[in-house]
């Protein structure tokens, strides 16, 4: 009979008990007596979010292909179960075996979003693992962090034994082999961490010392262990067809956020938007072949029973075989009741033609992301999108039968003026006007325009990493300017405007741009009861404000000041391929309102060509 960490009484008392019982379709089961390494893969958010993450699916499949490793999963318990586990001293457990996480050799945590940082501490705490790596013993799992937030790992440095810089398919097995070797030799935890530090792409925070200047800026960041490298280089998969990809992905019992087969068509982006961290850290663009994707589509649909397939990419329109892939999917699966989802498309004639074939036009809305209200500011951020292109795309969409459009903008971008802010309302109005140019008898009801603005956070490894960030009050003031202009618009009944929570954005800025001193703030916030900060119903900004004050951290120092281009930044020890010199040049070009062509138009010399593949070399054979 299956061992249960939770009684039926507890399961029946919590919301969605299926989050905790495992046994999903395609779940892997192994004989524990025949394996050498137990690896708990964690997504520090609720089950439905974590089960939608492709990276976890890839690594779960990859690890479990090895007979000597058993990879299991763990997610953050929702607040109801969290309370019960604390009251009854129930340790956090893995879904597959229901065994305590503390019994595993490794706890690997994917860090996708800064607002999940307190959930990482929740997972460690409920597992009975000391929150800080310095307090862990030989009996505790090795805690590894990976994912996009590790490109500035410093605010989390005290809580992790190792950070993995780059894509998980590259050096994880080298690390596992070193672990087995160290175990055979009777080595200690520290011995293993020293072995790990010698592997390219792995960062052991305990092996580095940080010094600060009197003004709080970094003075130095130096290794304190001979095994530690001065620079940590990100690791990338260059051959996208000769790598790991799940043919039998896990299928949740309850509806997940992304309840479909996900087909990753490429990694990286050619566009060079200056606000986009993903565009920098995933360079260069690497495509999967048409044959690879056809094969995986067949196998995943067959093994899961899903009725939808989504093409995943930062910019799907830039995938060179998109037309062939979409036509194949339509021909093969449309008549079998399989829906095709195409996110991240530019709105042009080809995209609209494709979407009309795969979507119910009357039920679906289109998404445009102008990001800025004026052409001047779009040039500053290097968004290769003119007003003419936006309005032409809207016109084609409306003529094609769509009448619902979402427009995404950012407020607080560098050099932003009131004219740029009001331009958000004016551009929204112009899109609505395009609809009303269509003869009345050819329209499908009223047009619905939803304009949304998020608040700009300058992220590491972007040309804007030196930029200042607005305060909460400044953000809200800008949103009010846009809202007031919206109310003046002729078609205001057709246009809705909403904006992101400013206090969350400001906190995200602190966590994204902070150094090791921010770790004590995260710890204080967690101890005061902060978890699920990404969820509006559980986020408590007052607790964060108190934690910041109690730990003597200055929000203005981390977010409000423009940083000097020669300042040592907390993440400067990481080599992502894109050079700091290039980012400086792009920061200057932004100030000059100068557009940099995309990677296929002209190489900008960012440095990513040193990886020896991808779009940098596609026309040089």
């Amino acid at each position: 009979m299956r061992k249960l960490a939770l009684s039926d009484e507890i399961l029946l008392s919590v919301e969605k008990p299926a989050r905790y019982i495992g046994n999903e379709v395609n779940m892997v089961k192994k004989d524990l007596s025949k394996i050498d390494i137990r690896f708990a893969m964690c997504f520090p958010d609720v089950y439905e979010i974590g089960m939608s993450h492709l990276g976890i699916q890839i690594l779960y499949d990859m690890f479990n292909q090895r007979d000597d490793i058993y990879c299991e999963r763990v997610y953050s318990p929702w607040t109801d179960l969290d309370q019960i586990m604390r009251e009854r001293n129930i340790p956090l457990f893995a879904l597959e075996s229901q065994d305590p996480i503390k019994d595993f050799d490794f706890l690997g945590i994917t860090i996708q979003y800064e607002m999940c940082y307190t959930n990482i501490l929740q997972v460690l705490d409920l597992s009975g693992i000391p929150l800080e790596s310095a307090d862990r013993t030989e009996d505790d799992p090795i805690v590894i962090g990976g994912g996009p937030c590790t490109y500035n790992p410093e605010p989390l440095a005290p809580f992790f034994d190792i950070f993995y810089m780059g894509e998980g398919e590259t050096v994880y097995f080298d690390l596992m082999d070193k672990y087995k070797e160290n175990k055979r030799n009777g080595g200690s935890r520290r011995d293993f961490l020293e072995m790990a530090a010698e592997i390219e792409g792995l960062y052991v925070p305990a092996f580095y010392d940080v010094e600060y200047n009197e003004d709080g800026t970094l003075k130095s960041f130096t290794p304190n262990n001979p095994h530690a490298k001065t620079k940590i280089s990100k690791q990338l998969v260059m051959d996208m067809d000769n790598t790991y990809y799940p043919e039998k992905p896990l299928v949740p019992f309850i509806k997940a956020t992304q309840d479909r087969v996900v087909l990753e068509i490429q990694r990286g982006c050619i566009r060079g938007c200056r606000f986009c961290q993903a565009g920098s850290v995933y360079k260069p663009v690497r495509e999967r072949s048409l044959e690879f994707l056809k094969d995986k589509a067949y196998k995943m649909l067959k093994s899961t029973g899903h009725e939808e397939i989504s093409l995943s990419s930062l910019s799907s329109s830039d995938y060179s075989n998109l037309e062939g892939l979409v036509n194949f999917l339509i021909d093969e699966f449309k008549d079998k009741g399989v829906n095709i989802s195409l996110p991240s498309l530019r709105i042009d004639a080809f995209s609209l033609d494709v979407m009309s074939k795969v979507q119910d036009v009357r039920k679906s809305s289109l998404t445009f992301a102008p990001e800025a209200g004026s052409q001047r500011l779009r040039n500053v951020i290097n968004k290769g999108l003119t007003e003419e292109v936006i309005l032409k795309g809207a016109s084609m969409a409306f003529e094609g039968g769509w009448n619902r459009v979402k427009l995404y903008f950012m407020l607080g971008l560098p050099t932003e003026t009131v004219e740029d802010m009001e331009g958000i309302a004016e551009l929204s109005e112009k899109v609505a006007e395009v609809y009303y140019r269509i003869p009345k008898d050819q329209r499908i009801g009223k047009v619905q325009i939803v304009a949304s603005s998020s608040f700009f956070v300058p992220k590491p490894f972007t040309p804007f990493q030196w930029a200042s960030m607005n305060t909460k009050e400044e953000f809200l003031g800008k949103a009010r300017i846009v809202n007031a202009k919206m109310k003046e618009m002729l078609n205001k009944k057709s246009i809705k405007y909403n904006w992101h929570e400013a206090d969350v954005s400001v906190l995200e800025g602190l966590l994204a741009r902070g150094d090791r001193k921010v770790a004590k703030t995260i710890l204080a916030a967690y101890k005061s009861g902060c978890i699920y900060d990404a969820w509006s119903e559980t986020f408590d900004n007052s607790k964060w404000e108190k934690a910041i004050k109690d730990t003597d951290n200055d929000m203005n120092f981390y977010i409000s000041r423009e940083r000097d281009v020669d300042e040592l930044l907390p993440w400067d020890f990481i080599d992502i391929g894109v050079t700091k010199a290039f980012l400086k040049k792009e920061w200057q070009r932004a100030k000059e309102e100068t557009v940099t062509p995309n990677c296929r138009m002209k190489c900008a010399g960012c440095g990513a060509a040193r990886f020896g593949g991808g779009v940098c070399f596609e026309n040089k054979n």
Side-chain angles (χ1 to χ4, degrees), residues 393-413:
S395 177
M396 288 188 294
F398 295 145
E399 289 168 4
W402 278 275
N403 68 342
R404 293 193 291 166
V405 171
K406 296 177 183 176
L407 298 172
Y408 288 125
F409 298 93
M410 276 189 284
L411 283 172
L413 289 162

PDB file of all heavy atoms in Angstrom, residues 393-413:
ATOM      1  N   GLY A 393      -1.251  46.316 -38.513  1.00  0.00           N
ATOM      2  CA  GLY A 393      -1.578  45.006 -37.955  1.00  0.00           C
ATOM      3  C   GLY A 393      -2.978  44.979 -37.380  1.00  0.00           C
ATOM      4  O   GLY A 393      -3.730  44.017 -37.573  1.00  0.00           O
ATOM      5  N   ALA A 394      -3.350  46.056 -36.667  1.00  0.00           N
ATOM      6  CA  ALA A 394      -4.703  46.145 -36.105  1.00  0.00           C
ATOM      7  C   ALA A 394      -5.745  46.157 -37.214  1.00  0.00           C
ATOM      8  O   ALA A 394      -6.786  45.486 -37.124  1.00  0.00           O
ATOM      9  CB  ALA A 394      -4.824  47.404 -35.246  1.00  0.00           C
ATOM     10  N   SER A 395      -5.475  46.883 -38.271  1.00  0.00           N
ATOM     11  CA  SER A 395      -6.410  46.959 -39.403  1.00  0.00           C
ATOM     12  C   SER A 395      -6.629  45.589 -40.025  1.00  0.00           C
ATOM     13  O   SER A 395      -7.770  45.174 -40.274  1.00  0.00           O
ATOM     14  CB  SER A 395      -5.873  47.944 -40.443  1.00  0.00           C
ATOM     15  OG  SER A 395      -6.719  47.986 -41.573  1.00  0.00           O
ATOM     16  N   MET A 396      -5.535  44.876 -40.266  1.00  0.00           N
ATOM     17  CA  MET A 396      -5.645  43.527 -40.843  1.00  0.00           C
ATOM     18  C   MET A 396      -6.408  42.597 -39.904  1.00  0.00           C
ATOM     19  O   MET A 396      -7.199  41.762 -40.347  1.00  0.00           O
ATOM     20  CB  MET A 396      -4.250  42.959 -41.127  1.00  0.00           C
ATOM     21  CG  MET A 396      -3.541  43.607 -42.304  1.00  0.00           C
ATOM     22  SD  MET A 396      -2.003  42.745 -42.751  1.00  0.00           S
ATOM     23  CE  MET A 396      -0.995  43.043 -41.307  1.00  0.00           C
ATOM     24  N   ALA A 397      -6.174  42.754 -38.608  1.00  0.00           N
ATOM     25  CA  ALA A 397      -6.857  41.899 -37.635  1.00  0.00           C
ATOM     26  C   ALA A 397      -8.356  42.159 -37.630  1.00  0.00           C
ATOM     27  O   ALA A 397      -9.174  41.233 -37.653  1.00  0.00           O
ATOM     28  CB  ALA A 397      -6.271  42.137 -36.240  1.00  0.00           C
ATOM     29  N   PHE A 398      -8.723  43.445 -37.608  1.00  0.00           N
ATOM     30  CA  PHE A 398     -10.145  43.789 -37.586  1.00  0.00           C
ATOM     31  C   PHE A 398     -10.836  43.335 -38.870  1.00  0.00           C
ATOM     32  O   PHE A 398     -11.966  42.830 -38.840  1.00  0.00           O
ATOM     33  CB  PHE A 398     -10.319  45.292 -37.386  1.00  0.00           C
ATOM     34  CG  PHE A 398      -9.830  45.788 -36.050  1.00  0.00           C
ATOM     35  CD1 PHE A 398      -9.234  47.044 -35.925  1.00  0.00           C
ATOM     36  CD2 PHE A 398      -9.963  45.011 -34.898  1.00  0.00           C
ATOM     37  CE1 PHE A 398      -8.785  47.511 -34.700  1.00  0.00           C
ATOM     38  CE2 PHE A 398      -9.517  45.461 -33.664  1.00  0.00           C
ATOM     39  CZ  PHE A 398      -8.918  46.711 -33.560  1.00  0.00           C
ATOM     40  N   GLU A 399     -10.166  43.499 -39.987  1.00  0.00           N
ATOM     41  CA  GLU A 399     -10.732  43.043 -41.261  1.00  0.00           C
ATOM     42  C   GLU A 399     -10.849  41.525 -41.307  1.00  0.00           C
ATOM     43  O   GLU A 399     -11.694  40.978 -42.016  1.00  0.00           O
ATOM     44  CB  GLU A 399      -9.873  43.546 -42.424  1.00  0.00           C
ATOM     45  CG  GLU A 399      -9.997  45.054 -42.662  1.00  0.00           C
ATOM     46  CD  GLU A 399      -8.938  45.576 -43.623  1.00  0.00           C
ATOM     47  OE1 GLU A 399      -8.163  44.755 -44.168  1.00  0.00           O
ATOM     48  OE2 GLU A 399      -8.877  46.814 -43.821  1.00  0.00           O
ATOM     49  N   GLY A 400      -9.977  40.855 -40.531  1.00  0.00           N
ATOM     50  CA  GLY A 400     -10.008  39.397 -40.473  1.00  0.00           C
ATOM     51  C   GLY A 400     -11.057  38.849 -39.520  1.00  0.00           C
ATOM     52  O   GLY A 400     -11.216  37.632 -39.396  1.00  0.00           O
ATOM     53  N   GLY A 401     -11.765  39.737 -38.811  1.00  0.00           N
ATOM     54  CA  GLY A 401     -12.849  39.282 -37.951  1.00  0.00           C
ATOM     55  C   GLY A 401     -12.625  39.436 -36.463  1.00  0.00           C
ATOM     56  O   GLY A 401     -13.532  39.196 -35.665  1.00  0.00           O
ATOM     57  N   TRP A 402     -11.419  39.848 -36.049  1.00  0.00           N
ATOM     58  CA  TRP A 402     -11.184  40.074 -34.616  1.00  0.00           C
ATOM     59  C   TRP A 402     -11.773  41.420 -34.188  1.00  0.00           C
ATOM     60  O   TRP A 402     -11.788  42.377 -34.967  1.00  0.00           O
ATOM     61  CB  TRP A 402      -9.684  40.085 -34.325  1.00  0.00           C
ATOM     62  CG  TRP A 402      -9.058  38.736 -34.161  1.00  0.00           C
ATOM     63  CD1 TRP A 402      -8.999  37.994 -33.021  1.00  0.00           C
ATOM     64  CD2 TRP A 402      -8.388  37.956 -35.167  1.00  0.00           C
ATOM     65  NE1 TRP A 402      -8.335  36.805 -33.245  1.00  0.00           N
ATOM     66  CE2 TRP A 402      -7.945  36.754 -34.557  1.00  0.00           C
ATOM     67  CE3 TRP A 402      -8.120  38.142 -36.519  1.00  0.00           C
ATOM     68  CZ2 TRP A 402      -7.240  35.767 -35.241  1.00  0.00           C
ATOM     69  CZ3 TRP A 402      -7.425  37.158 -37.212  1.00  0.00           C
ATOM     70  CH2 TRP A 402      -7.005  35.987 -36.580  1.00  0.00           C
ATOM     71  N   ASN A 403     -12.238  41.487 -32.975  1.00  0.00           N
ATOM     72  CA  ASN A 403     -12.677  42.788 -32.447  1.00  0.00           C
ATOM     73  C   ASN A 403     -12.228  42.998 -30.999  1.00  0.00           C
ATOM     74  O   ASN A 403     -12.675  43.916 -30.330  1.00  0.00           O
ATOM     75  CB  ASN A 403     -14.202  42.943 -32.555  1.00  0.00           C
ATOM     76  CG  ASN A 403     -14.948  42.002 -31.629  1.00  0.00           C
ATOM     77  OD1 ASN A 403     -14.390  41.011 -31.149  1.00  0.00           O
ATOM     78  ND2 ASN A 403     -16.217  42.292 -31.377  1.00  0.00           N
ATOM     79  N   ARG A 404     -11.308  42.135 -30.536  1.00  0.00           N
ATOM     80  CA  ARG A 404     -10.774  42.290 -29.183  1.00  0.00           C
ATOM     81  C   ARG A 404      -9.250  42.332 -29.245  1.00  0.00           C
ATOM     82  O   ARG A 404      -8.625  41.422 -29.799  1.00  0.00           O
ATOM     83  CB  ARG A 404     -11.234  41.144 -28.281  1.00  0.00           C
ATOM     84  CG  ARG A 404     -12.736  41.166 -28.015  1.00  0.00           C
ATOM     85  CD  ARG A 404     -13.113  40.227 -26.894  1.00  0.00           C
ATOM     86  NE  ARG A 404     -12.949  38.836 -27.274  1.00  0.00           N
ATOM     87  CZ  ARG A 404     -12.957  37.812 -26.417  1.00  0.00           C
ATOM     88  NH1 ARG A 404     -13.095  38.047 -25.122  1.00  0.00           N
ATOM     89  NH2 ARG A 404     -12.835  36.578 -26.838  1.00  0.00           N
ATOM     90  N   VAL A 405      -8.684  43.368 -28.677  1.00  0.00           N
ATOM     91  CA  VAL A 405      -7.238  43.573 -28.735  1.00  0.00           C
ATOM     92  C   VAL A 405      -6.717  43.927 -27.347  1.00  0.00           C
ATOM     93  O   VAL A 405      -7.312  44.742 -26.636  1.00  0.00           O
ATOM     94  CB  VAL A 405      -6.879  44.703 -29.734  1.00  0.00           C
ATOM     95  CG1 VAL A 405      -5.397  45.058 -29.629  1.00  0.00           C
ATOM     96  CG2 VAL A 405      -7.212  44.297 -31.154  1.00  0.00           C
ATOM     97  N   LYS A 406      -5.606  43.296 -26.978  1.00  0.00           N
ATOM     98  CA  LYS A 406      -4.898  43.650 -25.741  1.00  0.00           C
ATOM     99  C   LYS A 406      -3.613  44.378 -26.125  1.00  0.00           C
ATOM    100  O   LYS A 406      -2.878  43.931 -27.013  1.00  0.00           O
ATOM    101  CB  LYS A 406      -4.556  42.386 -24.939  1.00  0.00           C
ATOM    102  CG  LYS A 406      -5.769  41.623 -24.433  1.00  0.00           C
ATOM    103  CD  LYS A 406      -5.340  40.352 -23.708  1.00  0.00           C
ATOM    104  CE  LYS A 406      -6.546  39.542 -23.248  1.00  0.00           C
ATOM    105  NZ  LYS A 406      -6.133  38.258 -22.629  1.00  0.00           N
ATOM    106  N   LEU A 407      -3.353  45.480 -25.446  1.00  0.00           N
ATOM    107  CA  LEU A 407      -2.151  46.267 -25.687  1.00  0.00           C
ATOM    108  C   LEU A 407      -1.328  46.318 -24.403  1.00  0.00           C
ATOM    109  O   LEU A 407      -1.846  46.684 -23.345  1.00  0.00           O
ATOM    110  CB  LEU A 407      -2.516  47.690 -26.116  1.00  0.00           C
ATOM    111  CG  LEU A 407      -3.314  47.840 -27.418  1.00  0.00           C
ATOM    112  CD1 LEU A 407      -3.759  49.283 -27.600  1.00  0.00           C
ATOM    113  CD2 LEU A 407      -2.476  47.391 -28.615  1.00  0.00           C
ATOM    114  N   TYR A 408      -0.062  45.930 -24.498  1.00  0.00           N
ATOM    115  CA  TYR A 408       0.808  45.920 -23.316  1.00  0.00           C
ATOM    116  C   TYR A 408       1.849  47.028 -23.390  1.00  0.00           C
ATOM    117  O   TYR A 408       2.535  47.189 -24.398  1.00  0.00           O
ATOM    118  CB  TYR A 408       1.508  44.562 -23.173  1.00  0.00           C
ATOM    119  CG  TYR A 408       0.576  43.452 -22.746  1.00  0.00           C
ATOM    120  CD1 TYR A 408       0.458  42.281 -23.490  1.00  0.00           C
ATOM    121  CD2 TYR A 408      -0.182  43.579 -21.586  1.00  0.00           C
ATOM    122  CE1 TYR A 408      -0.402  41.266 -23.095  1.00  0.00           C
ATOM    123  CE2 TYR A 408      -1.044  42.570 -21.178  1.00  0.00           C
ATOM    124  CZ  TYR A 408      -1.150  41.417 -21.935  1.00  0.00           C
ATOM    125  OH  TYR A 408      -2.003  40.416 -21.541  1.00  0.00           O
ATOM    126  N   PHE A 409       1.958  47.777 -22.295  1.00  0.00           N
ATOM    127  CA  PHE A 409       2.904  48.889 -22.203  1.00  0.00           C
ATOM    128  C   PHE A 409       3.694  48.785 -20.899  1.00  0.00           C
ATOM    129  O   PHE A 409       3.339  48.027 -20.001  1.00  0.00           O
ATOM    130  CB  PHE A 409       2.159  50.230 -22.212  1.00  0.00           C
ATOM    131  CG  PHE A 409       1.368  50.493 -23.464  1.00  0.00           C
ATOM    132  CD1 PHE A 409       0.016  50.134 -23.539  1.00  0.00           C
ATOM    133  CD2 PHE A 409       1.959  51.092 -24.559  1.00  0.00           C
ATOM    134  CE1 PHE A 409      -0.731  50.379 -24.686  1.00  0.00           C
ATOM    135  CE2 PHE A 409       1.225  51.345 -25.717  1.00  0.00           C
ATOM    136  CZ  PHE A 409      -0.117  50.986 -25.778  1.00  0.00           C
ATOM    137  N   MET A 410       4.761  49.581 -20.827  1.00  0.00           N
ATOM    138  CA  MET A 410       5.505  49.738 -19.577  1.00  0.00           C
ATOM    139  C   MET A 410       5.557  51.209 -19.199  1.00  0.00           C
ATOM    140  O   MET A 410       5.690  52.066 -20.076  1.00  0.00           O
ATOM    141  CB  MET A 410       6.930  49.202 -19.724  1.00  0.00           C
ATOM    142  CG  MET A 410       7.049  47.708 -19.504  1.00  0.00           C
ATOM    143  SD  MET A 410       8.774  47.180 -19.440  1.00  0.00           S
ATOM    144  CE  MET A 410       9.167  47.237 -21.168  1.00  0.00           C
ATOM    145  N   LEU A 411       5.464  51.465 -17.922  1.00  0.00           N
ATOM    146  CA  LEU A 411       5.656  52.814 -17.395  1.00  0.00           C
ATOM    147  C   LEU A 411       6.943  52.857 -16.571  1.00  0.00           C
ATOM    148  O   LEU A 411       7.302  51.867 -15.923  1.00  0.00           O
ATOM    149  CB  LEU A 411       4.476  53.223 -16.512  1.00  0.00           C
ATOM    150  CG  LEU A 411       3.184  53.638 -17.228  1.00  0.00           C
ATOM    151  CD1 LEU A 411       2.056  53.814 -16.237  1.00  0.00           C
ATOM    152  CD2 LEU A 411       3.397  54.927 -18.029  1.00  0.00           C
ATOM    153  N   GLY A 412       7.606  54.024 -16.598  1.00  0.00           N
ATOM    154  CA  GLY A 412       8.834  54.181 -15.829  1.00  0.00           C
ATOM    155  C   GLY A 412      10.091  53.889 -16.614  1.00  0.00           C
ATOM    156  O   GLY A 412      11.175  53.750 -16.033  1.00  0.00           O
ATOM    157  N   LEU A 413       9.980  53.784 -17.946  1.00  0.00           N
ATOM    158  CA  LEU A 413      11.147  53.508 -18.782  1.00  0.00           C
ATOM    159  C   LEU A 413      12.114  54.695 -18.770  1.00  0.00           C
ATOM    160  O   LEU A 413      11.698  55.841 -18.567  1.00  0.00           O
ATOM    161  CB  LEU A 413      10.704  53.216 -20.218  1.00  0.00           C
ATOM    162  CG  LEU A 413       9.997  51.869 -20.432  1.00  0.00           C
ATOM    163  CD1 LEU A 413       9.222  51.874 -21.731  1.00  0.00           C
ATOM    164  CD2 LEU A 413      11.012  50.718 -20.407  1.00  0.00           C
TER     165      LEU A 413
END
